[in-house]
Amino acid sequence: MALDHRPRPATQSDVAREVGVSRTLVSFAFRGAPGVSDETKQAIFDAAKRLGYRPNAVAADLARKHRSAVGLYLMDIRNEVYADILSGVRTALHQDRNRLILSVSRSVDGEDQGALESLMEARVGIIIAATLLDSDERAQELAKLVPLVSVTRRIEGVDSVHSDDAAGARAATEHLIRLGHTRIAHLAGPAYDGHTVRRESYAKTMRDAGLKPLTLAAEDFTQDSGERAAARLLGMADRPTAIFTHNDQLALGAREAAYAGGLSVPADLSLVGYDNSRTSRLHGIDLTSIDLHAVELGRRAGVAALNRLMDPEAPIADERLLPELVVRNSTAPPREGSWHPSP
């Protein structure tokens, strides 16, 4: 039988022997507990570094009967808005001892619960979720098992940090109306709980302007899905001269569908996205988009999570940010004679 010659990981007992103190004092030093002088604490940390000792944060949580880790659930890491949310969360947690454990959904169809379950199995103290596709009821049930902060979506009875989607969709639609467009379509995502505000606000804004709404739901929130759905819109006899999409990914898909159909943006088709992602700002794309301030949403969600960990009985947080229309070169007045309305 082969012997395992790998070195044994250093323990707190090894550090204690190296410094000449008790293992309990070493534990106190790494937990930041009072009663350890600065000189002794530094000696312990120096010895730990020499020996290669790394504290087991999960074991420390179990010993304290307190879960300090923060879990971050991201719906789709391919969408840059979630990378921005992650950046904001990390900023909020940077000066804190709390660990951040990341879990990303493998799908965007609302059926994958594995990512959330993995955070619960890791015994996190709280979950920051961006963006949940579950129903309100399921999200509220999850919050009973582990504290929850919802980002980008407001959920009743759950700490929520979100953008004013009604205002954002209204700004996007009114921008296109002011340019002179009357045939404006909305490329929406699937109608999950909490994800229909943008389509509803678009439709109301159109009706208030005396215009007929035209909404088509894509299969999911990805660029490929947006391209397929937009091709259907652009294949209509009276195709829209402008499309407002649920997010930038769908807008980029619509852009590809336009060019594949021999149309140019914005001469033949104006496009407005939602998220103000990094890609939308690239030269040559220049996508007009709604900035929901994703980094700030993430930062505030991180702060809300830390506040909830410190005070489980605090009132429910409900923070709403006002989005901003960022006009670039993907929108312009409609080309005269580019379409004819239905009778």
Side-chain angles (χ1 to χ4, degrees):
M1 182 176 65
L3 297 177
D4 188 350
H5 296 291
R6 289 175 295 181
R8 175 179 62 83
T11 66
Q12 285 191 357
S13 296
D14 295 327
V15 176
R17 280 193 295 270
E18 179 79 5
V19 181
V21 298
S22 69
R23 191 198 64 80
T24 300
L25 200 64
V26 173
S27 176
F28 282 0
F30 278 103
R31 288 163 50 188
V36 186
S37 69
D38 291 342
E39 182 180 357
T40 301
K41 187 182 299 183
Q42 189 59 54
I44 289 171
F45 291 162
D46 290 344
K49 185 175 182 180
R50 288 196 303 273
L51 296 174
Y53 168 74
R54 294 180 64 86
N56 187 326
V58 174
D61 275 1
L62 290 172
R64 293 194 301 264
K65 299 185 178 351
H66 169 69
R67 302 181 183 186
S68 63
V70 175
L72 175 60
Y73 164 85
L74 301 180
M75 186 182 76
D76 183 8
I77 198 63
R78 295 167 297 179
N79 188 332
E80 294 169 348
V81 72
Y82 295 110
D84 287 341
I85 289 173
L86 169 60
S87 177
V89 171
R90 292 181 65 181
T91 296
L93 302 184
H94 179 66
Q95 299 298 330
D96 198 271
R97 290 180 177 272
N98 297 72
R99 295 170 294 124
L100 179 64
I101 300 176
L102 177 65
S103 188
V104 181
S105 176
R106 293 190 300 273
S107 68
V108 289
D109 58 8
E111 300 299 326
D112 184 13
Q113 293 300 305
L116 287 169
E117 290 171 359
S118 68
L119 291 176
M120 297 177 69
E121 291 168 1
R123 295 182 59 83
V124 297
I126 192 165
I127 294 176
I128 300 173
T131 305
L132 283 178
L133 297 181
D134 276 337
S135 66
D136 286 355
E137 290 76 12
R138 290 184 67 177
Q140 290 158 354
E141 286 300 316
L142 172 63
K144 294 177 182 177
L145 300 175
V146 58
L148 180 68
V149 178
S150 175
V151 192
T152 74
R153 170 185 167 191
R154 183 182 182 276
I155 301 175
E156 188 70 32
V158 172
D159 289 328
S160 302
V161 180
H162 53 103
S163 183
D164 189 335
D165 280 348
R170 183 168 58 250
T173 308
E174 288 178 344
H175 169 66
L176 293 169
I177 293 173
R178 285 194 300 269
L179 287 173
H181 293 277
T182 55
R183 182 71 171 171
I184 303 167
H186 176 52
L187 186 51
Y192 297 112
D193 276 6
H195 296 274
T196 61
V197 176
R198 295 175 193 177
R199 69 166 68 186
E200 292 164 0
S201 179
Y202 149 81
K204 182 178 186 305
T205 304
M206 290 286 285
R207 288 192 295 267
D208 288 348
L211 301 174
K212 183 179 180 180
L214 173 62
T215 299
L216 178 65
E219 299 166 9
D220 54 40
F221 300 96
T222 64
Q223 181 175 330
D224 289 344
S225 180
E227 184 172 356
R228 290 190 295 270
R232 291 171 56 191
L233 285 172
L234 298 177
M236 297 171 60
D238 292 332
R239 65 167 181 82
T241 62
I243 299 177
F244 160 50
T245 63
H246 179 87
N247 65 12
D248 284 353
Q249 289 290 307
L250 293 178
L252 294 174
R255 183 177 182 272
E256 291 302 304
Y259 284 114
L263 303 175
S264 64
V265 176
D268 300 309
L269 178 70
S270 285
L271 283 174
V272 179
Y274 207 112
D275 288 342
N276 195 33
S277 61
R278 287 176 174 82
T279 300
S280 71
R281 310 167 207 167
L282 293 177
H283 178 72
I285 294 181
D286 292 324
L287 178 67
T288 296
S289 185
I290 300 295
D291 189 351
L292 48 63
H293 309 298
V295 174
E296 180 63 11
L297 284 174
R299 189 192 70 78
R300 294 196 186 193
V303 171
L306 294 177
N307 290 341
R308 178 60 58 197
L309 285 173
M310 288 187 295
D311 185 1
E313 302 303 321
I316 295 298
D318 183 5
E319 291 197 57
R320 182 177 62 180
L321 275 65
L322 186 64
E324 177 184 2
L325 173 69
V326 181
V327 178
R328 298 191 179 94
N329 292 330
S330 68
T331 51
R335 178 180 289 175
E336 188 174 348
S338 60
W339 65 277
H340 301 284
S342 299

